[in-house]
Amino acid sequence: GNSVTQMEGPVTLSEEAFLTINCTYTATGYPSLFWYVQYPGEGLQLLLKATKADDKGSNKGFEATYRKETTSFHLEKGSVQVSDSAVYFCALSDHTKAAGNKLTFGGGTRVLVKP
Amino acid sequence: GAGVSQSPSNKVTEKGKDVELRCDPISGHTALYWYRQSLGQGLEFLIYFQGNSAPDKSGLPSDRFSAERTGGSVSTLTIQRTQQEDSAVYLCASSPLGSNSYEQYFGPGTRLTVT
C-alpha cells in the first residue's frame, strides 16, 4: 500500500534559518504530492502541491520538488519566521478511481521558530 | 465563500454511548472525506464519498463506525458504543473532483473525548 515517511520533530530553529523537512513516499503509479500545514489552533491547510515528476510546488517562500527517482518531496524554506511555527504534513494522493484521491499522510513534523 | 464546517467542535461522551459527527462541505464539492487525527496513529483516512455513495470505506476501523451522505452535501459519521481508543480529532474534507485540482479543503475538526 501507499505510505509516507517524514522526519520526526520537533525541529527548533532560529528566525532566518534555513528549514528542510525530508519526506519520502512509497506508492503504486504516479501519485500527486502535497505539503499541508497546521498552525496552532487552526485546521489543516494546503501549503503546496506537485502533480507530476520534476514539478516544483511553491507558496509563502516554501518549495518542494517532486523527485520520482528518489521518491522524495522535501520541503525547504530559505529564511523562516516565527509565524512559520506549525506542524507540517507530507501527503500523497492515489488517482485510482476507487481511491478518489484520498490522502495518505506522513506522521507530521512540528517546527518551532524562535526569535 | 464558506469553507467546510463541522459540528460539534468538541464532544465529550461516556464509553459505550453513540455519537454523531456532522460535516457540511463546500457547496458544489462532489467529493467528501473523513479522516481521523490521533496521537498514536497520526492522520488516517476513514471513508470517501463521491456524491452520496461511498466507493472507499477501507479506513473505517471497525463495524462500530458508519457514515452516510445525503443530497450530495451533508455527511454524518456515527460511532456506536464508543471506546476510549476512539478519542481523536475527526476531520472532514471536501474536494471539487472532476476538475484539475486535487486539493482537499479541510474543516476545523470535531474533538471527540471518550471518558
Side-chain angles (χ1 to χ4, degrees):
Chain A
N2 298 335
S3 67
V4 176
T5 302
Q6 61 182 105
M7 57 190 290
E8 290 188 22
V11 175
T12 304
L13 303 165
S14 297
E15 213 164 18
E16 299 183 2
F18 185 87
L19 170 68
T20 299
I21 304 176
N22 289 339
C23 171
T24 56
Y25 67 90
T26 302
T28 53
Y30 302 95
S32 289
L33 301 174
F34 306 83
W35 278 99
Y36 277 82
V37 59
Q38 190 170 35
Y39 297 105
E42 298 185 17
L44 271 174
Q45 304 172 24
L46 179 66
L47 180 60
L48 54 83
K49 68 179 182 183
T51 57
K52 61 183 188 297
D54 300 325
D55 267 3
K56 176 185 283 188
S58 60
N59 186 26
K60 300 182 179 181
F62 289 89
E63 292 183 340
T65 301
Y66 188 149
R67 301 286 189 200
K68 181 171 175 291
E69 63 276 13
T70 54
T71 63
S72 65
F73 192 55
H74 305 321
L75 183 68
E76 297 182 337
K77 185 174 185 182
S79 177
V80 294
Q81 305 300 313
V82 173
S83 57
D84 294 324
S85 298
V87 181
Y88 294 82
F89 293 90
C90 186
L92 67 82
S93 74
D94 187 327
H95 300 318
T96 60
K97 188 175 182 181
N101 301 323
K102 69 181 180 185
L103 292 166
T104 300
F105 288 92
T109 302
R110 182 176 300 277
V111 173
L112 177 60
V113 181
K114 296 186 174 180
Chain B
V4 178
S5 61
Q6 294 185 244
S7 60
S9 55
N10 280 285
K11 177 72 177 179
V12 180
T13 190
E14 292 180 353
K15 177 181 171 181
K17 300 284 190 184
D18 297 353
V19 295
E20 285 189 352
L21 312 179
R22 177 187 168 106
C23 171
D24 283 88
I26 293 172
S27 177
H29 281 193
T30 59
L32 186 147
Y33 308 80
W34 284 97
Y35 296 88
R36 179 167 73 171
Q37 186 174 22
S38 58
L39 280 178
Q41 301 297 323
L43 259 165
E44 52 182 348
F45 164 80
L46 297 178
I47 186 169
Y48 151 65
F49 286 92
Q50 174 59 33
N52 292 336
S53 64
D56 190 351
K57 307 178 183 180
S58 63
L60 294 178
S62 75
D63 58 9
R64 296 186 296 104
F65 287 72
S66 63
E68 65 175 10
R69 189 179 185 195
T70 55
S73 182
V74 171
S75 176
T76 303
L77 177 69
T78 300
I79 309 173
Q80 295 179 310
R81 304 180 304 281
T82 52
Q83 303 294 313
Q84 287 186 330
E85 61 263 28
D86 300 335
S87 295
V89 177
Y90 289 82
L91 297 173
C92 175
S94 69
S95 174
L97 262 187
S99 74
N100 289 327
S101 168
Y102 298 110
E103 178 173 356
Q104 294 181 25
Y105 297 83
F106 282 80
T110 293
R111 181 175 297 278
L112 175 66
T113 303
V114 182
T115 61

